[in-house]
Amino acid sequence: MSGCVSARVLTKIIATLVFPSLAAAQQSACDAPWQLVETLRLGSFDGEDALSPIRAMNTGPDGRIYLLQSWDYSVSIFLPDGRPAGRIGRAGGGPGEFGSPPQRMGWRADTLWVSDRFTTQFFLADGTPVRQIGFKIPMPTEGSTFAPGTPLADGTFLPYRTVNEQAERFLLARQVPLRRLSSAGEIVDTIAIVKRHLADHVIHREEDDRGFGLMSPHPLTPSNEESWLPVVTEADGSAVVYIGEVRSEDEHSTFDLLRIGIAGDTLLHSAVPYEPLPVTREERELMREWFAAGIAGDRTPERLRPPWGVRDAERRRRIASELITFPETHPPVGRILAGSDGSIWLLRETWPRATNLWEIYDEQGHLEGSVRIEALQDGYRPYIFHASRNEIWVQIRGALDVPYVVRYELHPSY
């Protein structure tokens, strides 16, 4: 589905919404954002379909809906009409069991894969476990340890990263290799070298005489999808998508949109023009307060805070507030989503702005349209899990912060 007249004709959205000073150099987009029509809602306040916050969501070949919920050691299944239809997996260490709550999942043909912090497991559609892959590979040079993570199309894995006590070796690096591992945990090769554009703004402080150290990505860091990097795997596991070089210039700023096959071959390399958005003073103060509040423990229930949490909160708040620095402009892309139909979705408006602007690109890097999603009154941002040119699946929150998963049909604006 596409609501654009031509991938080579300029239209108003480029000139008015995205990067007006570069309109003459742009690809086309729709004159207005695509419209959203709700067609299904999962969840309730207290029914049998009540949900916890969702970690991952996907649909199966049979149209059933699969969810990973926070604090849950199983996969929740719903029929296409939204009725609960059982679960797959449970807590434990054997076949079909998870040692930690699963965090991601997907399909390889008719097999469901599910990954937790330690293993990746494969299930038939009826829930029968068929394979379990587990390894723990230390990578001291990156301050990381790797577990299987996401299976790729050829049976290798894009590993799941745990950052260890030497986290600065990873967080402060300006570029990081995106590796491919075998099912035995051996390094097969490096798919790509991923640049980390905010490495200069990682919040870093050595431990003081009271044992408080601080190492954190910046609040503006693009969303981490794979291996703690702003990389997303295509739905079939045949390629990865990420942002390469960012060139911030007054009149001709561009960022590189890349799709790289898992063997390292370049399938798409497109320079996308954009207009840099300055980080305003108000945004800096909002992010400073938000970051310091998190370090102080304000968003952690008091019963879950460590012993220092109550007595040392204000000291930690002050230190965090003093340490954070800011780039001059926002990163051009806050998150990447690989559409199930080969489309590429880029989140262009970044936190703490009130509106999420998603741009939709085709397989050749042509801009096809856009979708706008407004933040809710409490600042919560609806999160897209699954997308195509026909529909998106989004987590929202209702009254009393109750989570729901909503399916929207997309209707291009002509």
Side-chain angles (χ1 to χ4, degrees):
M1 177 190 300
S2 175
C4 299
V5 176
S6 167
R8 301 184 184 277
V9 178
L10 301 175
T11 54
K12 295 178 183 178
I13 188 173
I14 292 170
T16 60
L17 295 180
V18 186
F19 18 70
S21 66
L22 297 169
Q26 301 306 307
Q27 303 161 341
S28 83
C30 300
D31 285 329
W34 294 358
Q35 301 302 306
L36 306 179
V37 177
E38 181 177 330
T39 58
L40 180 67
R41 179 172 296 217
L42 302 181
S44 66
F45 179 72
D46 58 0
E48 63 173 338
D49 58 342
L51 303 175
S52 300
I54 306 302
R55 289 180 175 268
M57 173 269 161
N58 218 305
T59 56
D62 58 358
R64 294 197 297 178
I65 305 155
Y66 296 77
L67 303 179
L68 297 181
Q69 303 185 55
S70 297
W71 313 299
D72 195 342
Y73 285 73
S74 63
V75 182
S76 302
I77 307 171
F78 292 81
L79 296 176
D81 63 6
R83 290 177 294 160
R87 293 176 177 270
I88 292 176
R90 60 183 181 183
E97 298 177 338
F98 300 103
S100 67
Q103 301 185 11
R104 59 188 63 196
M105 65 179 172
W107 290 86
R108 294 291 173 262
D110 59 354
T111 303
L112 174 70
W113 65 267
V114 187
S115 174
D116 64 12
R117 291 182 57 195
F118 311 106
T119 64
T120 296
Q121 303 202 50
F122 297 82
F123 299 86
L124 299 180
D126 63 3
T128 302
V130 293
R131 190 182 182 204
Q132 177 174 318
I133 304 295
F135 54 73
K136 184 176 181 181
I137 306 299
M139 198 72 67
T141 58
E142 296 179 28
S144 304
T145 300
F146 290 113
T150 301
L152 300 174
D154 65 351
T156 61
F157 289 81
L158 201 60
Y160 175 83
R161 181 192 305 270
T162 300
V163 177
N164 61 26
E165 64 274 4
Q166 296 174 317
E168 67 275 6
R169 294 186 179 181
F170 167 73
L171 291 175
L172 297 177
R174 295 181 179 275
Q175 55 186 25
V176 177
L178 183 69
R179 294 191 177 91
R180 188 162 58 122
L181 274 63
S182 72
S183 59
E186 301 165 332
I187 297 176
V188 175
D189 57 18
T190 296
I191 297 174
I193 301 296
V194 181
K195 295 182 180 295
R196 304 187 68 255
H197 301 290
L198 287 180
D200 289 341
H201 294 281
V202 167
I203 297 93
H204 183 207
R205 181 181 188 273
E206 299 290 345
E207 286 192 7
D208 57 19
D209 56 0
R210 297 168 69 175
F212 175 51
L214 181 58
M215 172 66 69
S216 174
H218 196 277
L220 285 177
T221 298
S223 177
N224 301 318
E225 299 290 342
E226 294 285 358
S227 197
W228 274 54
L229 295 172
V231 174
V232 63
T233 309
E234 289 201 326
D236 64 359
S238 64
V240 298
V241 183
Y242 64 98
I243 301 302
E245 190 73 32
V246 176
R247 292 168 286 271
S248 298
E249 302 173 3
D250 292 338
E251 296 182 0
H252 303 289
S253 298
T254 62
F255 63 85
D256 288 345
L257 176 60
L258 292 156
R259 185 170 76 245
I260 308 294
I262 58 176
D265 48 320
T266 300
L267 307 175
L268 169 66
H269 186 170
S270 176
V272 180
Y274 79 103
E275 180 175 305
L277 296 175
V279 181
T280 67
R281 180 177 179 179
E282 292 77 10
E283 289 170 343
R284 294 175 188 228
E285 292 309 307
L286 177 61
M287 282 186 279
R288 188 186 307 277
E289 292 177 6
W290 181 89
F291 175 73
I295 298 301
D298 292 1
R299 293 188 289 274
T300 303
E302 188 168 333
R303 63 184 176 80
L304 299 178
R305 297 182 194 179
W308 53 260
V310 175
R311 67 173 183 270
D312 214 17
E314 293 310 311
R315 172 173 168 270
R316 290 168 179 261
R317 187 190 313 277
R318 173 182 54 79
I319 292 172
S321 180
E322 293 172 353
L323 281 175
I324 190 171
T325 61
F326 300 92
E328 291 297 319
T329 61
H330 286 269
V333 176
R335 185 181 167 220
I336 306 171
L337 184 64
S340 59
D341 57 357
S343 57
I344 301 173
W345 292 59
L346 303 184
L347 176 59
R348 295 298 308 278
E349 299 287 351
T350 53
W351 183 88
R353 296 173 184 267
T355 301
N356 283 354
L357 172 62
W358 286 89
E359 291 179 348
I360 304 108
Y361 292 77
D362 68 11
E363 294 85 341
Q364 288 73 47
H366 298 140
L367 181 60
E368 292 190 326
S370 64
V371 170
R372 283 185 177 271
I373 303 179
E374 300 292 334
L376 303 181
Q377 290 184 354
D378 62 358
Y380 172 78
R381 291 182 174 276
Y383 188 90
I384 299 180
F385 289 110
H386 193 61
S388 71
R389 296 175 181 88
N390 297 317
E391 65 182 20
I392 58 175
W393 293 79
V394 183
Q395 178 172 236
I396 66 171
R397 290 183 183 176
L400 304 178
D401 278 346
V402 174
Y404 296 87
V405 173
V406 180
R407 181 181 65 202
Y408 294 100
E409 284 186 356
L410 299 184
H411 295 272
S413 302
Y414 294 94

